[in-house]
Amino acid sequence: EVQLVESGGGSVQVGGSLRLSCEVSGFTYSRYCMAWFRQAPGKEREAISSIHSDGGTSYAEDVKGRFTISQDHEKKSLYLQMNSLKHEDTATYYCAIDTDRGAPYCHELGRGHIRNDMYGWGQGTLVTVSS
C-alpha cells in the first residue's frame, strides 16, 4: 500500500519561505509522476507543480519563479521550496504520486490541473501566509 507523508507546513509572513517535504513508501514502480497540489478555502484542489521520474518539471503560472519542485529519485521523496510567499498561497498542500502516463502528461498536470485519480495522496499540510 502506497503511503505519502508531508511535512514542513506552518505559518509564515508575506515574503517568507517554507520548504515542504513528502516521503513516499510502498510505491514499487521506477517511473512515475509526482506532484504538489493545493486547496485554498472554498476552492478545488489543483496541481501547482509536477516532476516526472526523468527529472522534468512544470509549474502553474501563479507559482512559477517562486516555487521549486525537486525529488530524491532513489528515496522517492518530493520537495517544494516556496519563496516570496503571498497571502493567496494560503492553502492545504498535498503531495501525490501517479504511475507513469508519460512525461508530457505529467508536465501538463503540473501547469495547473484538477485531478482526483492520482495513485496515492498525502494527508495534506497547512500553509498559512499572513501579514
Side-chain angles (χ1 to χ4, degrees), residues 39-100:
Q39 186 169 22
K43 295 188 176 181
E44 290 191 81
R45 183 171 57 186
E46 60 181 5
I48 56 169
S49 183
S50 65
I51 186 166
H52 190 259
S53 47
D54 67 4
T57 61
S58 65
Y59 299 89
E61 283 300 319
D62 53 356
V63 305
K64 192 179 294 184
R66 300 187 297 122
F67 292 9
T68 303
I69 192 171
S70 61
Q71 65 174 334
D72 182 321
H73 184 66
E74 286 195 20
K75 295 180 180 179
K76 291 192 183 69
S77 296
L78 183 68
Y79 308 97
L80 186 68
Q81 178 66 42
M82 305 186 293
N83 298 328
S84 302
L85 283 161
K86 306 175 181 179
H87 282 123
E88 50 266 43
D89 295 318
T90 294
T92 299
Y93 285 71
Y94 300 86
C95 63
I97 192 166
D98 203 5
T99 55
D100 186 25

Side-chain angles (χ1 to χ4, degrees), residues 37-39 43-47 94 96-98 101 105 109 113-121:
F37 289 71
R38 70 183 180 187
Q39 186 169 22
K43 295 188 176 181
E44 290 191 81
R45 183 171 57 186
E46 60 181 5
Y94 300 86
I97 192 166
D98 203 5
R101 306 191 194 198
Y105 188 93
L109 170 66
H113 289 275
I114 295 170
R115 278 271 309 276
N116 293 311
D117 61 343
M118 299 289 281
Y119 189 88
W121 292 91

Side-chain angles (χ1 to χ4, degrees), residues 12-59:
V12 64
Q13 291 189 321
V14 171
S17 299
L18 280 176
R19 178 178 167 87
L20 305 183
S21 299
C22 176
E23 303 296 326
V24 182
S25 60
F27 188 85
T28 59
Y29 301 93
S30 60
R31 294 180 65 78
Y32 52 82
C33 176
M34 288 200 286
W36 286 99
F37 289 71
R38 70 183 180 187
Q39 186 169 22
K43 295 188 176 181
E44 290 191 81
R45 183 171 57 186
E46 60 181 5
I48 56 169
S49 183
S50 65
I51 186 166
H52 190 259
S53 47
D54 67 4
T57 61
S58 65
Y59 299 89

